[in-house]
Amino acid sequence: MLAYHLYNGGRTYRPTNHTIVQIHTAASILELLRYHLPTAKQQADGPGLFELALCFIQSGTNLFLVRKLRKGNPGIVRPTYQAGALFRPFLILLALFHPSQRTRAASYSGSVSSLHAFVWTRALIFVLSTGLPEKDFRAAVNRPEIYTCSVLGGALIATALGGGIVPYVGTVMLVMQISKVVSARTRFPDPSAHTYRISAFLARLGFSDLATLDHVLRIAPQTVCSPYLSRDDVPPTIPSSMDSGSQTRVPVIGLLPGDAFGAWVAGWAERLAADRQLA
């Protein structure tokens, strides 16, 4: 995955979040290296404060990046990512402070296994987008259902292999319900209500329905923007990467240099049939 992004020159990332993505990626890689290539002291003692810090940095940047994410079906994709960002710190804290050595080891393994969801998601995107009967690989790989199924499927596979699929699914459900409550409370805002202030704060963190949050920000920006919400949360009114990459300077997924192999795999059956017809 890292080689793919390096080959594309980092152009798959949104320019405004490039620094956060770099921090997020570095924390993820370091955490994986510390787990799979542990020192002698770490093998004996398990994770320490450094691993705890890496986990919180990775999870915090995850929440930041997913806050305005609009790819796929946001009502499914965002809670899937957010649940992982909440679930992993809980596991690493168990790995640090639980009295049972067996529980500590299982919790640490489950926390790190969740990081593999990134790889499973990309693998599923490749499998599904190249397996569709679409002739245009760019259209297939950018279909919302492909991204949604891949994100959810990757997270379920990773947590299942880590032994924590049941509590993870419960966390996803909890995040979804919280988002519904927050959206309901911010739809008819009452700035004087204490519950509204809490809801506005959670909405600022991304735990709300995108459509409701956008509506509130545009209807009453002066009220909602202070002190918990800012105008930075208003989504940009620019075309998506599928519409006009040249106007927005956002690279089109499916046309990047690293996507050439996917396009070749997606079209091999069509080429094979054409070659046989010519023969």
Side-chain angles (χ1 to χ4, degrees), residues 35 42-47 91-113 161-164:
Y35 178 78
Q42 189 181 356
Q43 282 182 326
D45 300 338
L91 289 178
I92 199 71
L93 287 172
L94 278 180
L96 276 168
F97 301 113
H98 199 277
S100 170
Q101 175 64 30
R102 182 177 179 181
T103 301
R104 290 201 302 270
S107 299
Y108 187 32
S109 175
S111 176
V112 176
S113 294
L161 293 176

Side-chain angles (χ1 to χ4, degrees), residues 36-266:
H36 293 291
L37 300 173
T39 62
K41 183 179 185 301
Q42 189 181 356
Q43 282 182 326
D45 300 338
L49 294 179
F50 184 64
E51 285 73 30
L52 178 68
L54 288 175
C55 180
F56 271 79
I57 291 172
Q58 196 274 344
S59 298
T61 51
N62 187 3
L63 287 175
F64 179 87
L65 292 170
V66 78
R67 183 180 59 168
K68 302 177 186 178
L69 185 63
R70 298 168 189 274
K71 293 181 65 177
N73 184 333
I76 298 174
V77 171
R78 294 170 74 244
T80 300
Y81 279 125
Q82 290 167 332
L86 298 176
F87 189 54
R88 292 191 61 248
F90 173 74
L91 289 178
I92 199 71
L93 287 172
L94 278 180
L96 276 168
F97 301 113
H98 199 277
S100 170
Q101 175 64 30
R102 182 177 179 181
T103 301
R104 290 201 302 270
S107 299
Y108 187 32
S109 175
S111 176
V112 176
S113 294
S114 298
L115 289 174
H116 298 152
F118 178 85
V119 178
W120 286 110
T121 296
R122 270 61 193 175
L124 287 173
I125 289 175
F126 178 82
V127 170
L128 297 176
S129 59
T130 57
L132 289 176
E134 298 253 6
K135 294 182 180 180
D136 186 355
F137 174 68
R138 172 198 169 191
V141 77
N142 284 288
R143 288 177 66 166
E145 59 268 28
I146 293 292
Y147 187 74
T148 303
C149 292
S150 299
V151 169
L152 181 59
L156 293 177
I157 292 172
T159 52
L161 293 176
I165 187 169
V166 173
Y168 171 74
V169 171
T171 307
V172 173
M173 180 179 178
L174 178 62
V175 171
M176 285 182 164
Q177 295 302 318
I178 290 175
S179 296
K180 288 175 64 176
V181 173
V182 170
S183 299
R185 292 189 184 279
T186 54
R187 191 173 294 119
F188 304 101
D190 179 9
S192 63
H194 180 66
T195 54
Y196 167 73
R197 296 191 184 97
I198 297 175
S199 298
F201 176 73
L202 291 174
R204 166 76 181 195
L205 296 179
F207 295 97
S208 67
D209 177 79
L210 280 173
T212 301
L213 179 58
D214 294 345
H215 175 75
V216 172
L217 288 170
R218 286 171 174 148
I219 292 298
Q222 295 297 331
T223 300
V224 180
C225 288
S226 177
Y228 300 105
L229 300 176
S230 67
R231 284 189 172 84
D232 293 337
D233 291 301
V234 178
T237 55
I238 58 176
S240 67
S241 60
M242 289 185 61
D243 297 330
S244 178
S246 59
Q247 294 181 11
T248 64
R249 298 183 181 180
V250 176
V252 179
I253 305 301
L255 296 180
L256 293 165
D259 298 325
F261 179 67
W264 182 86
V265 173

